[in-house]
Protein backbone atom coordinates (compact mmCIF):
# COMPACT_ATOMS: atom_id res chain seq x y z
CA UNK A 1 0.00 0.00 0.00
CA UNK A 2 3.03 2.28 0.11
CA UNK A 3 4.51 1.36 -3.28
CA UNK A 4 3.65 4.78 -4.74
CA UNK A 5 5.61 6.62 -2.05
CA UNK A 6 8.98 7.95 -3.17
CA UNK A 7 10.52 6.37 -0.09
CA UNK A 8 8.53 3.96 2.07
CA UNK A 9 8.52 4.83 5.75
CA UNK A 10 10.05 1.86 7.68
CA UNK A 11 7.97 2.76 10.75
CA UNK A 12 4.71 2.44 8.80
CA UNK A 13 5.80 -0.86 7.26
CA UNK A 14 6.95 -2.45 10.51
CA UNK A 15 4.16 -1.22 12.75
CA UNK A 16 1.50 -1.77 10.10
CA UNK A 17 2.63 -5.36 9.53
CA UNK A 18 2.58 -6.08 13.26
CA UNK A 19 -0.91 -4.62 13.61
CA UNK A 20 -2.33 -6.54 10.64
CA UNK A 21 -0.82 -9.87 11.72
CA UNK A 22 -2.63 -9.69 15.05
CA UNK A 23 -5.89 -8.23 13.75
CA UNK A 24 -6.19 -10.76 10.91
CA UNK A 25 -5.58 -13.63 13.35
CA UNK A 26 -8.36 -12.27 15.58
CA UNK A 27 -10.83 -12.64 12.70
CA UNK A 28 -11.04 -16.31 13.68
CA UNK A 29 -13.39 -14.95 16.34
CA UNK A 30 -14.53 -11.80 14.54
CA UNK A 31 -16.13 -13.58 11.58
CA UNK A 32 -18.25 -16.01 13.68
CA UNK A 33 -19.31 -13.04 15.82
CA UNK A 34 -20.51 -11.28 12.65
CA UNK A 35 -22.47 -14.39 11.64
CA UNK A 36 -24.13 -14.62 15.06
CA UNK A 37 -25.12 -10.95 14.85
CA UNK A 38 -26.51 -11.44 11.33
CA UNK A 39 -28.57 -14.44 12.49
CA UNK A 40 -30.13 -12.42 15.30
CA UNK A 41 -30.75 -9.42 13.04
CA UNK A 42 -32.36 -11.72 10.49
CA UNK A 43 -35.05 -12.73 12.98
CA UNK A 44 -35.65 -9.08 13.87
CA UNK A 45 -33.58 -8.91 17.07
CA UNK A 46 -31.51 -5.73 16.78
CA UNK A 47 -30.97 -5.17 20.50
CA UNK A 48 -28.87 -8.27 21.18
CA UNK A 49 -26.31 -7.59 18.41
CA UNK A 50 -26.11 -4.02 19.74
CA UNK A 51 -25.38 -5.42 23.20
CA UNK A 52 -22.73 -7.80 21.80
CA UNK A 53 -21.00 -5.04 19.85
CA UNK A 54 -21.22 -2.64 22.78
CA UNK A 55 -19.45 -5.08 25.13
CA UNK A 56 -16.96 -5.99 22.39
CA UNK A 57 -16.07 -2.34 21.85
CA UNK A 58 -15.85 -1.58 25.57
CA UNK A 59 -13.32 -4.40 25.89
CA UNK A 60 -11.55 -3.11 22.78
CA UNK A 61 -11.24 0.47 24.08
CA UNK A 62 -10.32 -0.61 27.62
CA UNK A 63 -7.50 -2.92 26.56
CA UNK A 64 -6.36 -0.43 23.91
CA UNK A 65 -5.81 2.04 26.72
CA UNK A 66 -4.13 -0.50 28.99
CA UNK A 67 -1.90 -2.13 26.39
CA UNK A 68 -0.96 0.86 24.23
CA UNK A 69 0.28 2.99 27.13
CA UNK A 70 1.19 0.27 29.64
CA UNK A 71 -1.13 1.11 32.51
CA UNK A 72 -0.58 -0.66 35.84
CA UNK A 73 0.53 -4.27 35.42
CA UNK A 74 0.08 -4.16 31.66
CA UNK A 75 3.12 -3.67 29.39
CA UNK A 76 3.33 -0.70 26.99
CA UNK A 77 2.96 -2.38 23.60
CA UNK A 78 2.04 0.56 21.35
CA UNK A 79 0.56 -0.47 18.01
CA UNK A 80 0.67 -4.18 18.93
CA UNK A 81 -1.33 -3.33 22.05
CA UNK A 82 -3.99 -1.63 19.92
CA UNK A 83 -4.27 -4.77 17.78
CA UNK A 84 -4.48 -7.04 20.82
CA UNK A 85 -7.21 -4.87 22.30
CA UNK A 86 -9.24 -5.27 19.10
CA UNK A 87 -8.62 -9.01 19.12
CA UNK A 88 -9.74 -9.36 22.72
CA UNK A 89 -12.88 -7.39 21.98
CA UNK A 90 -13.76 -9.75 19.13
CA UNK A 91 -13.05 -12.81 21.28
CA UNK A 92 -15.35 -11.60 24.05
CA UNK A 93 -18.06 -10.72 21.51
CA UNK A 94 -17.76 -14.19 20.00
CA UNK A 95 -18.13 -15.90 23.40
CA UNK A 96 -21.19 -13.79 24.29
CA UNK A 97 -22.83 -14.48 20.92
CA UNK A 98 -22.33 -18.26 21.12
CA UNK A 99 -23.58 -18.28 24.74
CA UNK A 100 -26.75 -16.41 23.69
CA UNK A 101 -27.46 -18.89 20.89
CA UNK A 102 -26.90 -21.88 23.18
CA UNK A 103 -29.18 -20.38 25.82
CA UNK A 104 -31.86 -19.92 23.17
CA UNK A 105 -33.89 -17.15 24.77
CA UNK A 106 -33.80 -14.77 21.77
CA UNK A 107 -36.00 -16.71 19.36
CA UNK A 108 -33.37 -19.10 18.01
CA UNK A 109 -31.43 -21.85 19.78
CA UNK A 110 -28.18 -23.64 19.04
CA UNK A 111 -28.85 -27.11 20.49
CA UNK A 112 -25.50 -28.79 21.08
CA UNK A 113 -27.20 -32.16 21.66
CA UNK A 114 -28.59 -32.38 18.14
CA UNK A 115 -25.78 -30.77 16.13
CA UNK A 116 -25.10 -32.91 13.08
CA UNK A 117 -22.09 -32.27 10.87
CA UNK A 118 -23.90 -32.96 7.64
CA UNK A 119 -23.49 -31.22 4.30
CA UNK A 120 -26.91 -30.10 3.00
CA UNK A 121 -26.32 -29.15 -0.60
CA UNK A 122 -29.81 -27.68 -1.01
CA UNK A 123 -29.24 -25.21 1.80
CA UNK A 124 -25.66 -24.50 0.71
CA UNK A 125 -26.96 -23.69 -2.78
CA UNK A 126 -29.40 -21.16 -1.31
CA UNK A 127 -26.63 -19.61 0.75
CA UNK A 128 -24.29 -19.33 -2.22
CA UNK A 129 -26.92 -17.76 -4.49
CA UNK A 130 -27.19 -14.85 -2.09
CA UNK A 131 -23.80 -15.06 -0.38
CA UNK A 132 -21.42 -15.14 -3.35
CA UNK A 133 -22.56 -11.81 -4.85
CA UNK A 134 -22.55 -10.26 -1.37
CA UNK A 135 -19.02 -11.57 -0.77
CA UNK A 136 -17.83 -10.34 -4.18
CA UNK A 137 -19.36 -6.94 -3.43
CA UNK A 138 -17.42 -6.71 -0.17
CA UNK A 139 -14.23 -7.91 -1.88
CA UNK A 140 -14.65 -5.28 -4.60
CA UNK A 141 -15.24 -2.58 -2.01
CA UNK A 142 -12.32 -3.54 0.24
CA UNK A 143 -9.87 -4.18 -2.61
CA UNK A 144 -10.69 -0.82 -4.16
CA UNK A 145 -10.08 0.73 -0.74
CA UNK A 146 -6.59 -0.80 -0.69
CA UNK A 147 -5.76 0.68 -4.10
CA UNK A 148 -7.31 4.00 -3.03
CA UNK A 149 -5.18 4.08 0.13
CA UNK A 150 -2.08 3.15 -1.85
CA UNK A 151 -2.63 6.14 -4.13
CA UNK A 152 -3.20 8.43 -1.13
CA UNK A 153 0.01 7.10 0.42
CA UNK A 154 1.87 8.32 -2.63
CA UNK A 155 1.22 11.88 -1.43
CA UNK A 156 3.15 11.42 1.81
CA UNK A 157 2.75 10.56 5.48
CA UNK A 158 0.83 13.73 6.40
CA UNK A 159 -1.74 13.02 3.69
CA UNK A 160 -2.09 9.43 4.92
CA UNK A 161 -2.79 10.77 8.41
CA UNK A 162 -5.31 13.33 7.13
CA UNK A 163 -7.09 10.68 5.06
CA UNK A 164 -7.25 8.36 8.09
CA UNK A 165 -8.83 11.10 10.19
CA UNK A 166 -11.30 11.88 7.43
CA UNK A 167 -12.24 8.21 7.09
CA UNK A 168 -12.73 7.84 10.84
CA UNK A 169 -14.94 10.92 11.18
CA UNK A 170 -16.97 10.08 8.08
CA UNK A 171 -17.51 6.48 9.23
CA UNK A 172 -19.07 7.79 12.43
CA UNK A 173 -21.30 10.24 10.62
CA UNK A 174 -22.95 7.71 8.31
CA UNK A 175 -23.93 5.31 11.11
CA UNK A 176 -27.63 6.23 10.71
CA UNK A 177 -27.48 5.01 7.12
CA UNK A 178 -25.77 1.81 8.19
CA UNK A 179 -28.31 1.18 10.95
CA UNK A 180 -31.41 1.87 8.87
CA UNK A 181 -29.91 -0.14 6.02
CA UNK A 182 -29.73 -3.18 8.30
CA UNK A 183 -33.28 -2.52 9.47
CA UNK A 184 -34.43 -2.38 5.84
CA UNK A 185 -32.71 -5.71 5.13
CA UNK A 186 -34.56 -7.45 7.96
CA UNK A 187 -37.96 -5.81 7.41
CA UNK A 188 -37.94 -6.30 3.64
CA UNK A 189 -36.86 -9.93 3.98
CA UNK A 190 -39.59 -10.68 6.50
CA UNK A 191 -42.25 -8.83 4.50
CA UNK A 192 -41.47 -10.59 1.23
CA UNK A 193 -41.29 -13.90 3.07
CA UNK A 194 -44.85 -13.21 4.24
CA UNK A 195 -45.90 -12.32 0.65
CA UNK A 196 -46.44 -8.66 1.58
CA UNK A 197 -44.74 -6.88 -1.30
CA UNK A 198 -46.39 -3.52 -0.68
CA UNK A 199 -45.29 -3.58 2.95
CA UNK A 200 -41.72 -4.34 1.87
CA UNK A 201 -41.81 -1.35 -0.49
CA UNK A 202 -43.22 0.92 2.21
CA UNK A 203 -40.57 -0.17 4.72
CA UNK A 204 -37.89 0.66 2.14
CA UNK A 205 -39.32 4.10 1.34
CA UNK A 206 -39.94 5.13 4.95
CA UNK A 207 -36.46 3.96 6.00
CA UNK A 208 -34.98 6.02 3.16
CA UNK A 209 -36.95 9.16 4.07
CA UNK A 210 -35.97 8.89 7.73
CA UNK A 211 -32.32 8.31 6.86
CA UNK A 212 -32.21 11.33 4.53
CA UNK A 213 -33.65 13.60 7.23
CA UNK A 214 -31.17 12.37 9.84
CA UNK A 215 -28.20 12.51 7.45
CA UNK A 216 -29.01 16.04 6.32
CA UNK A 217 -29.25 17.17 9.96
CA UNK A 218 -25.98 15.39 10.78
CA UNK A 219 -24.29 16.94 7.74
CA UNK A 220 -25.28 20.45 8.79
CA UNK A 221 -23.93 19.92 12.31
CA UNK A 222 -20.73 18.35 11.00
CA UNK A 223 -20.12 21.20 8.60
CA UNK A 224 -20.46 23.72 11.43
CA UNK A 225 -18.22 21.83 13.88
CA UNK A 226 -15.91 20.05 11.46
CA UNK A 227 -12.70 21.74 12.66
CA UNK A 228 -13.24 21.05 16.41
CA UNK A 229 -14.05 17.43 15.53
CA UNK A 230 -10.82 17.01 13.56
CA UNK A 231 -8.84 18.65 16.39
CA UNK A 232 -9.94 15.77 18.63
CA UNK A 233 -7.78 13.47 16.49
CA UNK A 234 -4.66 15.58 15.91
CA UNK A 235 -3.07 18.97 16.51
CA UNK A 236 -0.80 18.86 13.43
CA UNK A 237 -1.80 21.97 11.41
CA UNK A 238 -1.06 20.37 8.03
CA UNK A 239 -3.11 17.27 8.85
CA UNK A 240 -5.97 19.33 10.32
CA UNK A 241 -6.20 21.58 7.26
CA UNK A 242 -6.28 18.69 4.82
CA UNK A 243 -8.76 16.66 6.88
CA UNK A 244 -11.13 19.62 7.37
CA UNK A 245 -11.11 20.39 3.65
CA UNK A 246 -11.71 16.75 2.67
CA UNK A 247 -14.51 16.34 5.21
CA UNK A 248 -16.32 19.42 3.92
CA UNK A 249 -16.37 17.78 0.49
CA UNK A 250 -17.63 14.45 1.88
CA UNK A 251 -20.38 16.13 3.93
CA UNK A 252 -22.00 17.39 0.71
CA UNK A 253 -22.51 13.80 -0.46
CA UNK A 254 -23.24 12.22 2.93
CA UNK A 255 -27.08 12.13 2.62
CA UNK A 256 -26.78 10.33 -0.74
CA UNK A 257 -24.52 7.73 0.88
CA UNK A 258 -27.21 7.10 3.48
CA UNK A 259 -29.79 6.69 0.71
CA UNK A 260 -27.59 4.15 -1.06
CA UNK A 261 -26.99 2.16 2.14
CA UNK A 262 -30.71 1.90 2.93
CA UNK A 263 -31.83 0.92 -0.57
CA UNK A 264 -28.91 -1.51 -0.88
CA UNK A 265 -30.05 -3.04 2.41
CA UNK A 266 -33.59 -3.36 1.04
CA UNK A 267 -32.36 -5.13 -2.09
CA UNK A 268 -30.23 -7.46 0.00
CA UNK A 269 -33.27 -8.29 2.12
CA UNK A 270 -35.03 -9.32 -1.09
CA UNK A 271 -32.07 -11.48 -2.10
CA UNK A 272 -31.15 -9.08 -4.91
CA UNK A 273 -27.48 -9.10 -3.99
CA UNK A 274 -26.25 -9.37 -7.58
CA UNK A 275 -27.31 -5.85 -8.52
CA UNK A 276 -25.78 -4.36 -5.37
CA UNK A 277 -22.58 -6.15 -6.37
CA UNK A 278 -22.73 -4.75 -9.92
CA UNK A 279 -23.25 -1.20 -8.66
CA UNK A 280 -20.42 -1.46 -6.13
CA UNK A 281 -17.94 -2.76 -8.70
CA UNK A 282 -18.95 -0.11 -11.25
CA UNK A 283 -18.83 2.71 -8.71
CA UNK A 284 -15.75 1.78 -6.68
CA UNK A 285 -13.59 0.54 -9.55
CA UNK A 286 -15.02 2.26 -12.62
CA UNK A 287 -15.61 5.69 -11.10
CA UNK A 288 -13.89 6.21 -7.76
CA UNK A 289 -10.44 4.76 -8.51
CA UNK A 290 -10.24 6.18 -12.02
CA UNK A 291 -11.24 9.67 -10.91
CA UNK A 292 -9.03 9.45 -7.82
CA UNK A 293 -6.04 8.86 -10.06
CA UNK A 294 -7.01 11.63 -12.47
CA UNK A 295 -8.03 14.26 -9.90
CA UNK A 296 -5.78 13.37 -6.98
CA UNK A 297 -2.56 12.46 -8.75
CA UNK A 298 -2.54 13.52 -12.40
CA UNK A 299 -4.22 16.91 -11.92
CA UNK A 300 -2.44 17.51 -8.61
CA UNK A 301 -5.54 18.36 -6.57
CA UNK A 302 -4.27 16.13 -3.77
CA UNK A 303 -6.47 14.68 -1.00
CA UNK A 304 -9.42 16.86 -2.03
CA UNK A 305 -9.31 15.23 -5.46
CA UNK A 306 -9.66 11.80 -3.88
CA UNK A 307 -12.71 12.86 -1.90
CA UNK A 308 -14.30 14.59 -4.87
CA UNK A 309 -13.91 11.27 -6.69
CA UNK A 310 -15.59 9.50 -3.78
CA UNK A 311 -18.47 11.97 -3.89
CA UNK A 312 -19.00 11.38 -7.61
CA UNK A 313 -18.90 7.63 -6.96
CA UNK A 314 -21.57 7.96 -4.24
CA UNK A 315 -23.78 9.99 -6.57
CA UNK A 316 -23.34 7.48 -9.40
CA UNK A 317 -24.21 4.48 -7.21
CA UNK A 318 -27.17 6.30 -5.66
CA UNK A 319 -28.69 6.92 -9.08
CA UNK A 320 -28.22 3.27 -10.03
CA UNK A 321 -29.74 1.94 -6.80
CA UNK A 322 -32.76 4.24 -7.17
CA UNK A 323 -33.26 2.95 -10.72
CA UNK A 324 -33.15 -0.68 -9.56
CA UNK A 325 -35.49 -0.03 -6.65
CA UNK A 326 -38.05 1.81 -8.78
CA UNK A 327 -38.02 -1.03 -11.31
CA UNK A 328 -39.73 -3.20 -8.67
CA UNK A 329 -38.07 -6.35 -10.01
CA UNK A 330 -36.46 -7.05 -6.63
CA UNK A 331 -39.92 -7.90 -5.24
CA UNK A 332 -40.38 -10.89 -7.57
CA UNK A 333 -37.12 -12.82 -7.30
CA UNK A 334 -37.28 -16.61 -7.19
CA UNK A 335 -34.83 -16.69 -4.30
CA UNK A 336 -37.52 -15.24 -2.03
CA UNK A 337 -39.64 -18.37 -2.42
CA UNK A 338 -36.86 -20.97 -2.36
CA UNK A 339 -37.67 -22.31 1.11
CA UNK A 340 -41.43 -22.46 0.43
CA UNK A 341 -40.82 -24.41 -2.78
CA UNK A 342 -38.62 -26.89 -0.90
CA UNK A 343 -41.27 -27.37 1.78
CA UNK A 344 -43.94 -27.98 -0.88
CA UNK A 345 -41.72 -30.55 -2.54
CA UNK A 346 -41.13 -32.38 0.73
CA UNK A 347 -44.88 -32.44 1.46
CA UNK A 348 -45.60 -33.87 -2.00
CA UNK A 349 -43.00 -36.60 -1.50
Amino acid sequence: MTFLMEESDPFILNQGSTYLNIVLASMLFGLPMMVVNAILQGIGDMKTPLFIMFISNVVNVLFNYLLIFGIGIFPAMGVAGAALGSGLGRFVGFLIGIAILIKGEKGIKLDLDVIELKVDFEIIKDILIIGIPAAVEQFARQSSQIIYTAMVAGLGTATIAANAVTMNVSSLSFMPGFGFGMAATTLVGQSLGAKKKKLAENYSKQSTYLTLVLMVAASILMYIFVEPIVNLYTDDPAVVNMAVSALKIFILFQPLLGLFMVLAGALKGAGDTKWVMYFTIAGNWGVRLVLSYILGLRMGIGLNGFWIAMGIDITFRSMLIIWRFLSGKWKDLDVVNVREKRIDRIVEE
Side-chain angles (χ1 to χ4, degrees):
M1 294 176 71
T2 60
F3 74 96
L4 289 177
M5 296 179 70
E6 293 183 3
E7 184 177 350
S8 297
D9 189 330
F11 178 82
I12 293 177
L13 293 175
N14 293 333
Q15 297 298 311
S17 298
T18 299
Y19 182 86
L20 285 176
N21 280 332
I22 298 171
V23 166
L24 291 176
S26 74
M27 290 308 293
L28 289 171
F29 304 107
L31 292 174
M33 179 180 71
M34 292 167 61
V35 172
V36 171
N37 286 341
I39 290 170
L40 294 169
Q41 289 161 351
I43 62 172
D45 182 1
M46 297 295 179
K47 292 182 180 179
T48 304
L50 172 63
F51 168 75
I52 292 172
M53 293 308 299
F54 176 77
I55 298 299
S56 175
N57 280 285
V58 167
V59 173
N60 181 8
V61 173
L62 174 62
F63 280 93
N64 268 224
Y65 173 69
L66 296 174
L67 294 174
I68 291 174
F69 302 108
I71 306 299
I73 62 173
F74 296 93
M77 301 178 66
V79 171
L84 282 172
S86 298
L88 287 170
R90 288 171 177 163
F91 178 65
V92 171
F94 163 75
L95 291 180
I96 295 173
I98 294 297
I100 287 172
L101 288 186
I102 292 175
K103 198 170 182 181
E105 295 181 352
K106 299 297 181 180
I108 189 166
K109 180 178 176 61
L110 179 62
D111 195 336
L112 298 178
D113 294 331
V114 297
I115 286 181
E116 183 179 357
L117 297 178
K118 178 184 177 181
V119 177
D120 188 326
F121 289 103
E122 288 281 336
I123 290 179
I124 289 176
K125 180 181 177 181
D126 294 348
I127 293 171
L128 294 179
I129 288 173
I130 296 175
I132 287 179
V136 172
E137 177 215 344
Q138 289 299 313
F139 175 78
R141 188 167 65 87
Q142 297 297 338
S143 59
S144 70
Q145 183 62 35
I146 291 174
I147 304 300
Y148 174 86
T149 305
M151 288 193 289
V152 171
L155 299 177
T157 303
T159 307
I160 295 175
N163 187 65
V165 172
T166 307
M167 292 293 290
N168 283 332
V169 175
S170 63
S171 66
L172 290 174
S173 65
F174 60 65
M175 282 300 103
F178 178 77
F180 286 106
M182 297 193 70
T185 300
T186 299
L187 294 171
V188 167
Q190 291 182 345
S191 299
L192 291 178
K195 305 296 183 183
K196 298 178 180 179
K197 296 180 181 180
K198 187 62 178 178
L199 182 61
E201 183 177 344
N202 287 337
Y203 274 135
S204 303
K205 289 180 178 179
Q206 294 303 316
S207 297
T208 302
Y209 299 152
L210 184 57
T211 300
L212 284 173
V213 171
L214 290 174
M215 296 289 271
V216 168
S219 297
I220 294 172
L221 288 174
M222 276 189 64
Y223 198 90
I224 295 172
F225 299 106
V226 62
E227 190 164 345
I229 293 173
V230 172
N231 282 325
L232 294 174
Y233 287 83
T234 180
D235 56 2
D236 186 317
V239 174
V240 169
N241 289 336
M242 283 190 286
V244 167
S245 182
L247 273 170
K248 285 183 176 180
I249 293 170
F250 169 76
I251 289 169
L252 299 176
F253 300 97
Q254 186 170 244
L256 280 179
L257 178 59
L259 178 147
F260 177 83
M261 296 172 79
V262 172
L263 292 184
L267 296 186
K268 290 176 183 178
D272 197 11
T273 53
K274 286 184 179 179
W275 282 95
V276 180
M277 175 191 70
Y278 297 150
F279 298 156
T280 300
I281 293 173
N284 285 181
W285 282 87
V287 176
R288 181 180 173 188
L289 288 183
V290 172
L291 290 181
S292 291
Y293 175 74
I294 294 173
L295 298 175
L297 298 180
R298 297 295 295 178
M299 295 181 64
I301 299 176
L303 187 60
N304 283 351
F306 285 89
W307 284 86
I308 291 172
M310 181 179 287
I312 296 173
D313 164 33
I314 291 170
T315 304
F316 175 71
R317 284 186 286 133
S318 296
M319 297 303 102
L320 291 177
I321 205 82
I322 291 172
W323 165 77
R324 179 62 180 176
F325 177 79
L326 293 178
S327 75
K329 295 179 180 179
W330 54 275
K331 293 183 285 187
D332 300 300
L333 299 179
D334 289 338
V335 70
V336 174
N337 301 313
V338 165
R339 178 163 295 279
E340 182 175 326
K341 291 177 181 177
R342 185 185 300 122
I343 292 172
D344 291 341
R345 187 172 65 250
I346 292 172
V347 171
E348 291 173 0
E349 294 174 352

